[in-house]
Structure formats: C-alpha cells, structure tokens
Amino acid sequence: MNENKNQCMFTLGCPVYKHFSSEGIKRLFILQYCESDFVRCERFILKMAGKEVPEKLLPNGDTLE
Ligand code: SF4
C-alpha cells in the first residue's frame, strides 16, 4: 500500500484522524509523525506494545477535547 518506509503502517484509518476539527492541525501531526517520525507517536508505541489506544490520544501524548 505505501512505498514510503517513513510512513506509519497504521496511517490508513487511524482512528484519531476523524476527531480533528482542524484539517491544518491534522496535517501537521501527519507530517510530524505519521509520514516521518512515527516511532515517536504515542499511539504507535501503545499499539505495538499490544495495549489499548484511546481514540483521542494524539501522537504527542495529549488528548483531543
Ligand atoms: S497517529 Fe500515530 S499510529 Fe496513527 S497513523 Fe499516525 S503515527 Fe501511526
């Protein structure tokens, strides 16, 4: 599906995407995490550890309102 090795394998349908009210902020997170440094994403870290990932948890560890 993706040929970019810097892209997170969970990008398609990552549950947090639908909760952003601002497309601009969503895009920023995608650029900073999903399409580059996804190993730092708190969602990714929890998922890879087999833990439950709260829907509104942001890559930086904050939670969306
Ligand atoms: S938010 Fe995290 S888990 Fe979701 S696609 Fe982006 S990097 Fe992957």
Side-chain angles (χ1 to χ4, degrees):
M1 147 212 133
N2 76 68
E3 290 164 19
N4 178 359
K5 65 179 169 41
N6 294 322
Q7 182 164 311
C8 177
M9 69 177 90
F10 305 120
T11 303
L12 262 190
C14 189
V16 72
Y17 288 172
K18 61 178 177 283
H19 295 292
F20 283 98
S21 52
S22 157
E23 277 300 312
I25 291 174
K26 179 170 97 175
R27 193 67 205 142
L28 270 181
F29 275 109
I30 289 174
L31 284 173
Q32 287 182 357
Y33 291 90
C34 317
E35 293 181 351
S36 55
D37 213 1
F38 62 85
V39 292
R40 287 191 310 123
C41 171
E42 293 291 336
R43 302 188 61 85
F44 180 84
I45 291 167
L46 284 178
K47 196 158 173 96
M48 294 309 277
K51 297 192 176 146
E52 193 177 327
V53 187
E55 270 222 7
K56 294 185 176 180
L57 177 69
L58 289 169
N60 66 2
D62 288 345
T63 301
L64 273 174
E65 294 292 309

